[in-house]
Amino acid sequence: MNRTWFRGLVGRLVLPVLAALALVGPAAAEPTSTAPPEAPASATVGSPQEPLKVDFRGALKAAVDSSPELEAARARVDGARWTTEEARSAGNPTLGIEGTYSRLDREVAASLSGRNFVVSPQDSYKAALVLRQAVATFGRLHFAVLAGQMAERAALEEYRGLLANELASAANIYLVALLAEEEVTIAQQRLEAREAALRDAEALFEAGTVARFDVLRVRSEATRARQQLLEAQNAQQVAEARLASRMGLPPGSDLVLEPVPFDTPPPTEMDLAMQQALARRPEIQALLWGLEAARARIGLAESQDNPTVALQSQFTSQTSAGMSPGYQWVTGVVLNMPLYDGGAARAQAGQAREAVRGLAANLEAVRRAVRLDVEDSFLNLASRWQRITQARIGLEEATEAARVAEVRYGAGLSTSTELLDAQTALVSARQALLAARYGYLGAAVSWNRAISGQFPVEPPGPLFLREGSSEDRVPVLLPPASPPDEAVTPEPSP
């Protein structure tokens, strides 16, 4: 086989294309960052022997920065963005090489005017460099890109919802760890009170004021207080281990937690909060953008029966035979007119319409759930605030009763049963106030999530569109980010 034509093809077509790709490739390559992730700004890490000091915002920041679930959600958002780019690429020009080679069993020749010429050589080739550019798609490109953009916004709202859930979960874990720390303090106070009572009982027994039963009874309660202290310390270690794991810290990290203020009273009305929740909740926004994407898919499906117009330019190098030249340049307009697709486009449009109907029903269900969530959170928040007031009154009364019982027992005017009951009531009052305070903080976390309030920390990942100001927002009851997060996502047109 003669190889001259093949070398000519490589020299004239393939080598220029490869040279062009070599020049374009480095410019189009995207740099890949290999820098390690930054450490949480609000967490101060000392030497391995020193404890890690963490405040509320620092813990939340570390939790969201190290969350694998959020990283997966960011990947889904980026994937949706690439889907949009894929749809948009249908409007870009394409360049390619097409080639064929054929061999006949014999050469076909003819004679004309006494001259012999080859009509079809035994070995023949045809190679073409083809450039195509879509001119008009009659809705295909528009609706495909629109559906991709709307799906991207829906994925972004789903990420925002997952971020809110992650912040709420991390906040509750931090509060549980703080509560466990306070429980240890109460258990230590209970043990100190029992040991002091034991010393008093032994002294009164030696003086002959009380019976030996009082000493045994108080000693038994002191032993029980030691066991309760061990249980409280174990619960604290478990809670701090959960918090460290959520923050992405290694096992065995020693944490020193900063307290969270809880002196902000609850809101007195929820109308503005309800409006804000219905306008900003990620679940609602994701469904609204999903509805827009589904409507765009209806247009995309209906446009499949429309014609397409494209511009094509082709440079061909082929075996010269008969009246066919060796090189040829052809430019033309290509019209593609679908006549009948068997009903595929109609079925696709019907599926898209049913998807819109299903999403509309889901949207109404989610709106009802959001209204109920806001109302429940509002009532729970007010109730938890009232419990704090009542728990403070109960603690004052229990403190005074315990003081009187200690004085009476020290003077030999009462039994150990009265003293131990008063001390137990005091511990219960302290625990009730503690539970009321942290219950209110937990309700504040739920309230902030229900009204789609400001994030306590600057959120990582994709940037949200900013709209309006923070003055018309419902104030949250937890420490906000600094500066305040004003990222909101506008509601698409219904």
Side-chain angles (χ1 to χ4, degrees), residues 303-388:
S303 66
Q304 298 304 308
D305 288 333
N306 297 338
T308 60
V309 178
L311 179 66
Q312 177 171 310
S313 184
Q314 175 176 317
F315 177 75
T316 305
S317 176
Q318 60 188 356
T319 303
S320 178
M323 296 182 180
S324 300
Y327 305 100
Q328 193 174 24
W329 192 293
V330 179
T331 301
V333 177
V334 180
L335 172 65
N336 182 15
M337 175 70 75
L339 297 179
Y340 181 65
D341 62 356
R346 177 174 173 273
Q348 293 173 1
Q351 295 175 20
R353 291 189 183 93
E354 295 305 319
V356 168
R357 190 176 71 166
L359 288 173
N362 291 338
L363 178 61
E364 178 59 26
V366 170
R367 280 174 171 161
R368 293 181 183 180
V370 166
R371 293 188 187 98
L372 182 60
D373 189 18
V374 173
E375 186 174 2
D376 288 348
S377 299
F378 178 81
L379 296 176
N380 188 34
L381 199 62
S383 175
R384 294 284 182 176
W385 182 258
Q386 294 174 0
R387 294 181 191 180
I388 292 178

Side-chain angles (χ1 to χ4, degrees), residues 102-108 120-123:
S102 61
R103 180 177 177 84
L104 304 178
D105 58 347
R106 65 178 64 86
E107 183 179 80
V108 179
S120 297
Q122 187 176 15
D123 295 295

Side-chain angles (χ1 to χ4, degrees), residues 235-423:
Q236 179 188 8
Q237 293 174 356
V238 172
E240 290 184 355
R242 289 187 60 197
L243 179 60
S245 175
R246 181 57 64 94
M247 293 172 61
L249 300 176
S253 299
D254 187 12
L255 303 180
V256 177
L257 307 182
E258 296 293 331
V260 178
F262 43 81
D263 54 354
T264 305
T268 57
E269 58 90 23
M270 68 173 181
D271 292 339
L272 180 60
M274 186 71 73
Q275 295 174 9
Q276 175 175 301
L278 293 175
R280 301 187 70 246
R281 278 287 285 264
E283 305 95 313
I284 295 178
Q285 292 296 314
L287 284 173
L288 286 171
W289 290 115
L291 272 171
E292 295 294 324
R295 293 189 180 104
R297 293 189 188 98
I298 294 176
L300 177 61
E302 293 175 343
S303 66
Q304 298 304 308
D305 288 333
N306 297 338
T308 60
V309 178
L311 179 66
Q312 177 171 310
S313 184
Q314 175 176 317
F315 177 75
T316 305
S317 176
Q318 60 188 356
T319 303
S320 178
M323 296 182 180
S324 300
Y327 305 100
Q328 193 174 24
W329 192 293
V330 179
T331 301
V333 177
V334 180
L335 172 65
N336 182 15
M337 175 70 75
L339 297 179
Y340 181 65
D341 62 356
R346 177 174 173 273
Q348 293 173 1
Q351 295 175 20
R353 291 189 183 93
E354 295 305 319
V356 168
R357 190 176 71 166
L359 288 173
N362 291 338
L363 178 61
E364 178 59 26
V366 170
R367 280 174 171 161
R368 293 181 183 180
V370 166
R371 293 188 187 98
L372 182 60
D373 189 18
V374 173
E375 186 174 2
D376 288 348
S377 299
F378 178 81
L379 296 176
N380 188 34
L381 199 62
S383 175
R384 294 284 182 176
W385 182 258
Q386 294 174 0
R387 294 181 191 180
I388 292 178
T389 303
Q390 297 301 319
R392 284 173 177 164
I393 297 175
L395 179 59
E396 293 175 357
E397 295 174 349
T399 301
E400 179 62 19
R403 185 190 67 80
V404 174
E406 290 175 359
V407 172
R408 283 171 53 82
Y409 185 73
L413 300 177
S414 66
T415 63
S416 60
T417 301
E418 180 181 327
L419 175 63
L420 294 177
D421 289 345
Q423 291 179 346

Side-chain angles (χ1 to χ4, degrees), residues 81-125:
R81 184 176 297 113
W82 283 113
T83 301
T84 304
E85 291 299 320
E86 179 186 4
R88 188 178 284 112
S89 66
N92 299 334
T94 60
L95 180 66
I97 296 178
E98 300 175 357
T100 60
Y101 167 77
S102 61
R103 180 177 177 84
L104 304 178
D105 58 347
R106 65 178 64 86
E107 183 179 80
V108 179
S111 177
L112 181 64
S113 302
R115 296 181 59 184
N116 295 328
F117 63 93
V118 178
V119 177
S120 297
Q122 187 176 15
D123 295 295
S124 63
Y125 78 94

Side-chain angles (χ1 to χ4, degrees), residues 186-202 214-215 217-226 228 402 406 409 416-428 430:
I186 292 179
Q188 290 173 343
Q189 294 174 350
R190 175 168 43 199
L191 177 58
E192 293 173 357
R194 292 293 192 262
E195 291 177 343
L198 178 59
R199 289 191 296 269
D200 292 342
E202 290 175 346
D214 283 12
V215 177
R217 172 73 187 280
V218 176
R219 184 175 297 164
S220 174
E221 291 296 328
T223 302
R224 182 182 177 187
R226 294 188 187 95
Q228 292 172 339
E406 290 175 359
Y409 185 73
S416 60
T417 301
E418 180 181 327
L419 175 63
L420 294 177
D421 289 345
Q423 291 179 346
T424 301
L426 177 60
V427 170
S428 298
R430 289 171 178 168

